[in-house]
Amino acid sequence: MRKRASRAAVPALAISALLLASGCSASPAEQPSRADRARPAAASASATQDAGRPLAVAAAPEAAATSTAVARPGAPGGRAHRAALKVASYDSRTRRAVISRTSSGGSGGKGTHSSSPSPSAGNSAEPHGMAVGDVVASAPAPGAPDGLLARVTDVIGESGDGTEVQTEPTTLDALLGDDDAKGSVPVDPASFDIEKLLPDVRVSWAKAGDVHVGPEGAKVPLGSLRIDVGAKVATAPGAPTSASLSGFVQVAPDVDFSYGGDAADSGPGTAYLGVSGDWDAQWAVKGRAAASAQPRRVPFAKLHADPVLQVGPIPVVVNLDLTCYFQIGADGVVTLDVEQRLQGDFKAGGAFGPARGWTPVDESHMTSSPVRTSVSAAGRVKAALGAEASVGLYGAVGVTADLAPYLRGEAGGSAGATTTTGSAVKTDATATGAWSLYGGVDLAGTLRTHLSIFGTPVFQRVIPLGVLNREWKLADGHV
């Protein structure tokens, strides 16, 4: 069981993270606003499902924190429904679970399918409604902090705590069948567990209802999580010089989920899992960067959230992990004073289709402004403020990615430049020799076999996202 970091912010719920990006095309004005992306969550996932309409995808309400869905594949009336049951306990080593009735004894709300499955021939339902072949999906529960998706292989017996069952892993298509579902749900910034890895790390977030956490006066857009950091770092082991770094990463992530049922009953026809949202990062680096064999990477915060999506009657638990870091590398000994800001949006994940199987999805629309940079001495330097992120379902990581917006400078001799953007681009520069300044975004990562949890074919190997790079020149010149 994952050991949780102490919660750094007040309330709770709903990646991260993943966070990632690459490529640059349409202007930010062409992208949907965060309010637009949030609209699918306004629909009630517990409303009665109209025949032929996709299942609603929404953030699970707090009242459904222990919600459970059960299906009995192959049995009459055995489609997934919200059950008056809960996972009282789960042992991940033996895969045994205890299933009990909820205290209310009610159904917990209308499901999108039949209200109760009928036992299949030759299978009698147990007193708490469980039988061999039942498929159970649960929100986080004791012993299953990442939620539970399992098939019952044996009903062991009854106790005062409920029905003990033996389980085995299963896939989402056993619950979703030939249904369709698609939606994007904003992640509550208050839901993240945050582990600070450096002393000078500050966390801020804001949500509707004038709820705010963070330093007094910090302005954070609604739905956004911001992490500020300040630190000194030696850019090479044993180097007598060091650079100071300060800045922030701000993200407003949405979880993107879709499933397209296949009437042939051979798993889904389409599927998608990923993260999208708004990104804002600003950082300043001052000091001397010494040559090193590898760039120096320093993590400063780890974040984790388990948002629960209500897909029709089914609680789908998404696991988001994010590690924020700064990185600096140089060849030669370079004295620098760098400030950079990148703003935009991103989308990253894995998409499944019958013709191509699983393929990576990565998009980003970012702009940088303003930039103030001076570089002294011959050499090259690259500074980044980025994030490593992963997204998965029910504890199985499916997508990993590393997003690194950066500023890169090159100088032969000494150079100084100030570039501002706005109605007009203006550059003031002084130099002896040649100099160049570049902004950019790096993305690397993988799709993992655990994405087969949708019911798609298992990968023969992990699928790399590749090392994607988008770089643009900010200014250059010579004297």
Side-chain angles (χ1 to χ4, degrees):
M1 181 170 122
R2 178 187 287 110
K3 183 178 179 181
R4 303 293 188 194
S6 59
R7 192 172 292 277
V10 202
L13 163 42
I15 155 246
S16 212
L18 216 211
L19 239 77
L20 351 163
S22 135
C24 189
S25 54
S27 68
E30 296 172 350
Q31 302 308 305
S33 68
R34 181 165 175 79
D36 291 336
R37 294 197 302 270
R39 284 186 186 125
S44 171
S46 63
T48 302
Q49 187 70 30
D50 294 338
R53 293 188 59 187
L55 300 178
V57 177
E62 292 185 10
T66 58
S67 65
T68 301
V70 176
R72 191 162 294 168
R79 302 185 73 183
H81 70 288
R82 188 177 299 180
L85 303 171
K86 66 179 181 179
V87 177
S89 64
Y90 177 72
D91 186 329
S92 59
R93 184 180 60 84
T94 62
R95 292 179 176 162
R96 290 189 175 184
V98 175
I99 311 295
S100 64
R101 288 202 173 274
T102 56
S103 56
S104 65
S107 65
K110 292 182 181 180
T112 64
H113 300 303
S114 172
S115 61
S116 62
S118 302
S120 57
N123 252 353
S124 59
E126 297 299 322
H128 283 96
M130 302 306 299
V132 172
D134 283 356
V135 176
V136 178
S138 169
D146 299 315
L148 181 65
L149 177 63
R151 176 181 174 273
V152 175
T153 59
D154 186 24
V155 178
I156 297 170
E158 296 288 322
S159 70
D161 296 326
T163 304
E164 185 176 10
V165 296
Q166 182 70 50
T167 70
E168 66 180 8
T170 189
T171 55
L172 269 173
D173 60 318
L175 284 162
L176 290 168
D178 60 358
D179 277 317
D180 295 326
K182 183 177 182 179
S184 295
V185 177
V187 180
D188 182 352
S191 69
F192 286 97
D193 291 324
I194 301 172
E195 180 183 0
K196 300 178 182 180
L197 304 179
L198 292 178
D200 192 10
V201 173
R202 301 173 303 283
V203 177
S204 309
W205 53 258
K207 57 189 292 186
D210 200 26
V211 180
H212 177 271
V213 165
E216 186 175 352
K219 296 187 180 300
V220 182
L222 290 180
S224 294
L225 176 71
R226 172 170 162 161
I227 303 173
D228 289 73
V229 63
K232 285 186 175 293
V233 56
T235 56
T241 58
S242 64
S244 64
L245 182 140
S246 61
F248 68 83
V249 171
Q250 181 176 289
V251 62
D254 296 350
V255 171
D256 303 327
F257 176 94
S258 71
Y259 174 96
D262 190 337
D265 230 6
S266 57
T270 61
Y272 180 80
L273 178 65
V275 171
S276 61
D278 298 326
W279 168 274
D280 190 352
Q282 179 173 315
W283 67 99
V285 183
K286 296 182 179 181
R288 302 189 70 193
S292 59
Q294 296 291 333
R296 182 78 188 280
R297 177 176 291 203
V298 180
F300 59 86
K302 290 184 177 180
L303 299 86
H304 177 85
D306 295 304
V308 181
L309 307 186
Q310 198 70 42
V311 181
I314 303 164
V316 175
V317 184
V318 181
N319 313 117
L320 300 172
D321 287 280
L322 175 68
T323 300
C324 298
Y325 67 86
F326 57 81
Q327 182 170 296
I328 186 169
D331 62 357
V333 178
V334 180
T335 300
L336 66 157
D337 185 346
V338 177
E339 185 174 345
Q340 164 79 327
R341 183 165 187 170
L342 275 176
Q343 293 176 288
D345 55 27
F346 62 89
K347 181 177 184 178
F352 175 80
R356 299 181 61 190
W358 281 101
T359 56
V361 172
D362 50 83
E363 300 175 12
S364 177
H365 310 83
M366 291 206 181
T367 58
S368 56
S369 65
V371 177
R372 290 182 292 276
T373 303
S374 65
V375 181
S376 300
R380 290 175 292 187
V381 64
K382 183 177 179 181
L385 193 63
E388 293 178 340
S390 68
V391 58
L393 297 174
Y394 301 102
V397 175
V399 181
T400 63
D402 187 346
L403 170 70
Y406 65 82
L407 180 74
R408 184 171 67 85
E410 297 180 350
S414 64
T418 299
T419 301
T420 59
T421 61
S423 58
V425 176
K426 180 181 177 182
T427 300
D428 298 315
T430 60
T432 301
W435 58 270
S436 300
L437 301 174
Y438 301 87
V441 179
D442 284 331
L443 172 65
T446 57
L447 304 182
R448 299 183 178 273
T449 57
H450 297 302
L451 274 174
S452 59
I453 196 169
F454 279 92
T456 59
V458 177
F459 300 171
Q460 296 303 312
R461 57 182 177 81
V462 297
I463 300 174
L465 289 176
V467 179
L468 305 177
N469 171 263
R470 176 72 177 177
E471 185 173 274
W472 51 93
K473 181 173 286 188
L474 299 168
D476 65 2
H478 66 276
V479 175

